[in-house]
Amino acid sequence: MRITDLAIKLRISVMVLVVLASMAGSYAYISLPKESAPSIEIPNIIITTLYPGASPDDVESLITRIIEQEAQTISGIEEIRSTSTEGVSTVVIEFSPDVALTEANQRVREKVDLARPKLPNDVEEPIISEIDFSDFPIMNVNLAAPYALSQLKQVAEDLKDELEGISSVSEVILVGGVEREVQVDVNLAALQGYSLAFQDLIDTIVKENSNIPGGSVDVDHLNYLVRVNGQFTDPSQISDLVIKTKGGEPIYVRDLADVQFGFQERKSYSRLRVLQRSTPDGKLAPVADHGYQKVITLSVKKRSGENILDTASAVEDVLAKFPLPPGTEVLITGDQSEQVRDLVKDLENNIISGLVFVVAVLLFFLGVRTSVLVGVAIPLSMMVSFLVFQVMGQTLNFIILFSLIIALGMLVDNAIVLVENIYRFLEEGEKPFAAARKGAGEVAVPVISSTLTTVAAFIPMLFWPGIIGEFMGFMPLTLIITLSCSLFVALIMNPVLTGYFARAEGVERPPMAIWTKIGIVLTLALLAAVLGSSNRNTLIVVFGGGAGLWVVHMLLMRHLAQWFAKKALPAVVELYRRFLDTMLHRDYQVRAAYWRNMLALGALTMGVLLAVLGGIIFAAVGLPTAKLVLLPAGFLAGLGLLGVVVHTVEVIFTGRLISIKVGVVLGVVVFGILGAFHLTGVDASPQLMKQLLAAPVVLVGLGLLGLLILRRPRPLILTDNRARLINVTLGGLFSIVALYAVAPTGVEFFPNTDPNQVQISLK
C-alpha cells in the first residue's frame, strides 16, 4: 500500500513521529479539562416575573398568560410550561435541541420586551435565565469563627474578591452573614408636629448623600478637579442634617427620628454540622462536639470548559495564602473535584488493568516480541486520540474514559493482523523492512475495511436526537476517533516498528547498543516519575502488573501457550472439523427429502419477502392494495413459523440422550446464574426462575420422552443435519423472542443507585 510504503521509506521520520505523538499525547491528556459529566447545552429558557402581593389568579391572568401568548409565536419551541404562585410567575420554554442556546435566549428576550408594556406598572422587570450545568457550584467554602458574624462577613467578602480573581472561576456566591444598614426610625407624632411629610425627610437624606462635581480649576500649569464630597461616612452625620427651618430655628433629623447603624433583615442562613474530621494520616475520626455551627458559605462556580481539578487546586492555593484572622476555620464541603479526581483515577486504573490483561492474552497467543509490538498500538492510539480531543476542544469526562475502556480490546485488532502477516514473510526469508512492506500491503485493504465497518456501526449514534443524544453522543464520537487513530497507527507506525524490532524465530539478533539500553531505562524512569506524580496506584498497577505478568509468563504461561499451540488448538480444530462434516452431511435417499427439509424454511422466507414487498406497496399506494400481498405473507410466515417449531421439537425429541445432556448443562448454567443473583443480593422472583428453567426442562423432558419411545435415532420429518441445524437455530431464536414477549424485562432510563447526597427544599 502506498501510505505504508511511504512510511517505511521515511522510517526515521516515522520514529520521530512516534516519539512526538507520545509526548504530545501525554501533554494533551494532562492539559485536557477534566469533569464528571459532559458539558451540554439544555435549550430551556426560564422567565421569572415578580409581582409582590398579587394572588396566584392575578399573576396568571395579568402576567403568565400575556408572556405565554407572546412566546407562542417563537419558532422552534417544543413545549411551554408555566407556574403561577403568590407574587411569582414562572414560564419555562423548552426549545428543540437543534436550536442554539444563545439564539433561543435572544428570541425570548425580544418577545418579553414586546410583552413588557402589557404588564402591570408595578411588576418587577422579568428575569430571563437559562439552565447551565456550569452554574452549579463546584465546592462550598465555609468560614466559621468565634468573633462577631459581621466581622466574619467582611472577611468573607475579602476572600470572595480573591477567589473571583481566579481566571477559571466565574462567580462566587456568598450565603449567610448579616448586612449592615443605617436605620432611620421616624417618630410620626414629631413629624406631624412640625407639619412635615415623610417624603421631606427622604428627599433631604437622598440629596445630602451625594458627591457634586465642581468642574476644574487651572492654577499656573496645573489643572485641579473640584468636587463637593457629600456622601456619608458615619451614621451620626444623618442626625445632623437640617430638613427645614421654622421661625428661624433649624429642624434636624434627630428631632424627628432615631438614627442607628444596625443590620438588615437576614435573607440567608448557613449552618454546618461536622461529624468527622480528617486526621494527619488521612483517616476520618468522629467529632465529639458535632453541633451546628454558624458559618458563612462561599459557593464557587467555575467557567464553562475549564478544568475542575485545576480550579479546585487554585481555590485551595488562595485559601492557603489568604490572611485569615486568628481563630477562623475553613471547611470545604461539596467538593466535586474529589469525585472527578476519584472517577478519573478509577477509570485510569481500569484502562491500565485492561491493558495488562490484553497484553497477557497477547503473550499467551503471540509470544513476547509479537505481543509487545502489537500492544504498543494501544498507548499510541490513545495518545493520538487525546491530541484529536484537544484540537476539537473536548473535555475529558467519564463517558469518554468509559468509551476508551470499551475500545481497549479493539485497538489491537488491526495490529494483530498486520504484525502476524509481517512475521509470516520474515519466516519465509524476507528482510525486515521488505517483510513489513509486503505484509502490510497484503492485508491493508482487509484491515481498512474491517475498521470502517466497525466505525460505520457507531456513526448513526452521532445523530441521536434530544438532550440524551447530546449527552451520550460522546461515546460513539470517542470510539470513532479512537478506532480511526488505531488504523493510522497500524498502517504507518506499526510496520516501521515491526521492521526495526521484529526478527524471525531462529535468527540471531544483534546485541542492543548501549545508547538504546540507556534510552529504554531513561524512558521507563521518566514514565515512572510521571505516573507516580499523577497517580500512585497507576504506577503500582503498571510496573507491578507488568513485572508480575512477566514472571507468570516465564514460569507458567509460556509453557501453557506451547501446549495450547501444539496440542489443544489442533484438537479443537479437529473437533470443529468433525462437527462441520456432520452438520454439512446431506442424505437425499429418502423420497421427496428436499421438500420435507425446506418446506418450513421456504414458507418462512417467502412470507418475510412478501411482507417487505407489502410494506413498500403500503407506503406507496395505501393499505387496501397492500393487503393483497400482506395477507399471503402472513399466512406463509405463520406456516413457516409453525413448521420451524415442529421441526425444533422433532430435533430435541430425536436427539434423546444428547438433548438430555444439553438440558442438564443448561440447567447447571441457570442454577449458577441464580446463585450469582443470591450472592449479589438480588432476589430472583419465582416468575423469573420459571422462565430461566423453562428451556432446560423442555430439553430434558423431550429428550427423555424420545429415549423411552424411540429405540434408535431416526428421522421423522427432517432427513439431514443441515436442515436440523438451521431449524434448531431458528427455533432457539423464536423461543427467546417468545419468552421476552411473555415476560419482558422492562425498561428504565437510569439504573437505581444509592445517592451520596440529599438535598431538601422547603417552601
Side-chain angles (χ1 to χ4, degrees):
M1 192 173 182
R2 292 184 179 180
I3 188 172
T4 304
D5 295 342
L6 181 62
I8 294 175
K9 183 179 179 181
L10 304 175
R11 48 184 174 268
I12 301 297
S13 300
V14 172
M15 293 300 294
V16 174
L17 178 63
V18 170
V19 176
L20 291 178
S22 302
M23 297 174 61
S26 302
Y27 173 77
Y29 175 75
I30 295 173
S31 61
L32 275 172
K34 298 175 178 62
E35 57 185 0
S36 177
S39 296
I40 60 175
E41 289 186 348
I42 299 180
N44 289 2
I45 306 297
I46 303 173
I47 307 171
T48 305
T49 309
L50 301 180
Y51 191 12
S55 65
D57 291 337
D58 293 337
V59 170
E60 181 181 9
S61 60
L62 298 177
I63 300 175
T64 305
R65 289 183 179 177
I66 295 175
I67 294 177
E68 285 181 341
Q69 289 172 1
E70 291 292 342
Q72 286 175 354
T73 60
I74 302 175
S75 59
I77 292 179
E78 284 193 352
E79 185 181 10
I80 298 179
R81 303 185 300 274
S82 64
T83 303
S84 299
T85 58
E86 183 179 352
V88 181
S89 167
T90 304
V91 179
V92 180
I93 304 176
E94 181 178 346
F95 286 84
S96 302
D98 55 347
V99 178
L101 190 59
T102 54
E103 182 182 355
N105 198 323
Q106 182 61 33
R107 293 180 187 177
V108 171
R109 289 186 182 276
E110 292 174 356
K111 295 301 180 181
V112 170
D113 291 339
L114 293 176
R116 185 65 180 90
K118 304 176 185 178
L119 302 179
N121 295 329
D122 50 349
V123 168
E124 296 185 12
E125 191 68 25
I127 301 172
I128 301 174
S129 57
E130 57 194 39
I131 299 177
D132 189 355
F133 285 121
S134 61
D135 283 342
F136 295 100
I138 63 169
M139 65 168 57
N140 296 317
V141 180
N142 303 278
L143 300 180
Y147 46 82
L149 202 59
S150 58
Q151 182 183 353
L152 183 61
K153 172 70 179 304
Q154 184 61 46
V155 174
E157 288 179 343
D158 296 338
L159 179 58
K160 176 177 180 290
D161 295 337
E162 290 291 331
L163 294 177
E164 288 181 339
I166 301 174
S167 59
S168 57
V169 173
S170 63
E171 184 184 9
V172 178
I173 298 177
L174 194 148
V175 180
V178 291
E179 189 75 27
R180 299 303 297 261
E181 71 175 2
V182 178
Q183 298 172 348
V184 181
D185 298 329
V186 182
N187 188 332
L188 183 59
L191 195 66
Q192 293 174 347
Y194 286 107
S195 301
L196 293 175
F198 191 75
Q199 190 63 37
D200 295 334
L201 181 64
I202 295 175
D203 293 341
T204 300
I205 296 176
V206 171
K207 291 177 181 178
E208 291 293 336
N209 186 33
S210 62
N211 294 330
I212 303 174
S216 61
V217 177
D218 294 329
V219 179
D220 295 331
H221 299 290
L222 301 177
N223 181 272
Y224 296 92
L225 292 176
V226 180
R227 69 169 183 165
V228 178
N229 192 354
Q231 282 190 333
F232 303 135
T233 58
D234 190 270
S236 61
Q237 296 174 347
I238 301 176
S239 300
D240 298 332
L241 294 179
V242 178
I243 301 175
K244 185 179 178 181
T245 58
K246 185 175 182 181
E249 294 293 330
I251 302 174
Y252 296 97
V253 172
R254 61 175 176 267
D255 298 330
L256 306 174
D258 294 329
V259 180
Q260 57 183 352
F261 195 34
F263 298 95
Q264 289 183 4
E265 182 181 355
R266 295 190 64 176
K267 298 179 180 179
S268 63
Y269 293 83
S270 185
R271 298 286 187 270
L272 181 65
R273 187 181 185 186
V274 180
L275 301 177
Q276 292 180 326
R277 291 185 182 273
S278 298
T279 58
D281 57 356
K283 298 181 180 179
L284 292 176
V287 178
D289 183 13
H290 50 262
Y292 288 97
Q293 303 181 53
K294 293 182 179 180
V295 298
I296 294 180
T297 302
L298 300 173
S299 299
V300 182
K301 299 180 180 180
K302 75 175 185 70
R303 298 185 187 277
S304 179
E306 294 291 340
N307 193 326
I308 187 174
L309 302 181
D310 294 342
T311 304
S313 299
V315 171
E316 292 174 357
D317 292 340
V318 170
L319 294 175
K321 298 177 182 178
F322 188 79
L324 294 170
T328 306
E329 185 179 9
V330 179
L331 298 170
I332 297 178
T333 57
D335 190 357
Q336 295 184 12
S337 65
E338 295 181 356
Q339 301 177 9
V340 175
R341 188 179 290 109
D342 293 340
L343 176 66
V344 171
K345 286 184 178 180
D346 290 342
L347 290 174
E348 285 175 348
N349 294 333
N350 288 335
I351 292 175
I352 298 299
S353 303
L355 175 61
V356 171
F357 283 112
V358 169
V359 173
V361 174
L362 295 175
L363 277 173
F364 184 80
F365 287 99
L366 303 179
V368 177
R369 185 173 291 267
T370 306
S371 63
V372 171
L373 292 173
V374 172
V376 76
I378 297 177
L380 282 177
S381 301
M382 288 191 173
M383 293 300 108
V384 178
S385 301
F386 292 141
L387 279 175
V388 176
F389 289 142
Q390 189 174 47
V391 172
M392 295 175 63
Q394 297 289 347
T395 60
L396 204 61
N397 50 69
F398 78 93
I399 293 184
I400 289 181
L401 291 173
F402 182 73
S403 301
L404 290 176
I405 297 176
I406 296 176
L408 195 62
M410 295 186 284
L411 296 180
V412 295
D413 294 348
N414 299 330
I416 289 175
V417 176
L418 190 139
V419 173
E420 278 294 296
N421 203 49
I422 292 175
Y423 263 98
R424 183 172 65 86
F425 280 95
L426 284 173
E427 292 173 353
E428 292 177 359
E430 296 285 350
K431 297 294 183 181
F433 286 106
R437 182 180 293 106
K438 293 181 180 179
E442 190 176 72
V443 297
V445 174
V447 165
I448 294 174
S449 61
S450 64
T451 304
L452 292 181
T453 53
T454 307
V455 168
F458 294 103
I459 289 178
M461 296 180 67
L462 292 175
F463 305 98
W464 195 340
I467 301 300
I468 299 303
E470 291 188 36
F471 189 84
M472 296 300 298
F474 289 91
M475 184 180 70
L477 179 65
T478 302
L479 292 171
I480 290 172
I481 291 175
T482 307
L483 293 177
S484 301
C485 292
S486 73
L487 180 61
F488 171 80
V489 171
L491 295 179
I492 294 180
M493 298 181 180
N494 271 121
V496 176
L497 292 172
T498 307
Y500 272 113
F501 299 105
R503 295 294 182 271
E505 293 293 335
V507 177
E508 184 178 356
R509 298 177 176 85
M512 188 179 297
I514 184 63
W515 293 109
T516 304
K517 296 180 180 179
I518 294 175
I520 294 175
V521 172
L522 290 177
T523 302
L524 292 176
L526 179 62
L527 178 62
V530 172
L531 292 177
S533 60
S534 61
N535 191 343
R536 186 179 302 175
N537 293 334
T538 303
L539 175 64
I540 296 174
V541 171
V542 171
F543 286 92
L549 182 62
W550 175 260
V551 173
V552 172
H553 173 73
M554 297 301 295
L555 297 179
L556 179 63
M557 288 180 57
R558 181 176 58 175
H559 305 292
L560 287 177
Q562 293 176 355
W563 171 82
F564 179 80
K566 294 179 180 179
K567 295 183 178 180
L569 186 59
V572 172
V573 172
E574 180 61 26
L575 182 63
Y576 181 61
R577 183 181 290 112
R578 284 187 293 172
F579 172 77
L580 289 180
D581 290 340
T582 303
M583 289 297 105
L584 296 178
H585 175 69
R586 286 199 170 191
D587 184 8
Y588 286 155
Q589 297 179 1
V590 182
R591 187 177 179 182
Y594 181 82
W595 295 110
R596 291 175 60 181
N597 288 334
M598 299 303 297
L599 181 61
L601 296 178
L604 182 62
T605 304
M606 287 299 300
V608 172
L609 293 177
L610 287 177
V612 173
L613 179 61
I616 297 174
I617 296 174
F618 171 73
V621 298
L623 184 60
T625 306
K627 284 183 177 180
L628 299 176
V629 179
L630 291 176
L631 292 177
F635 174 76
L636 290 174
L639 182 62
L641 179 60
L642 179 62
V644 168
V645 172
V646 171
H647 292 164
T648 302
V649 173
E650 178 204 353
V651 172
I652 299 174
F653 180 76
T654 57
R656 305 198 308 165
L657 190 59
I658 296 177
S659 300
I660 296 174
K661 292 179 180 178
V662 173
V664 171
V665 172
L666 187 57
V668 172
V669 173
V670 169
F671 280 110
I673 295 174
L674 295 175
F677 282 173
H678 178 71
L679 293 176
T680 55
V682 179
D683 294 330
S685 63
Q687 184 180 4
L688 177 61
M689 297 176 64
K690 292 178 182 179
Q691 294 166 5
L692 292 176
L693 292 173
V697 169
V698 169
L699 287 171
V700 174
L702 289 176
L704 284 174
L705 190 61
L707 190 63
L708 295 174
I709 296 177
L710 297 177
R711 295 183 179 180
R712 60 180 180 83
R714 60 183 180 86
L716 301 178
I717 302 175
L718 298 175
T719 60
D720 61 46
N721 292 333
R722 288 191 182 188
R724 292 190 181 94
L725 180 61
I726 295 175
N727 280 275
V728 168
T729 303
L730 290 176
L733 174 63
F734 294 148
S735 300
I736 295 172
V737 174
L739 284 174
Y740 184 80
V742 172
T745 58
V747 178
E748 60 182 1
F749 187 59
F750 276 116
N752 293 325
T753 57
D754 294 330
N756 56 5
Q757 288 185 354
V758 177
Q759 185 174 7
I760 303 173
S761 299
L762 300 179
K763 293 185 180 180

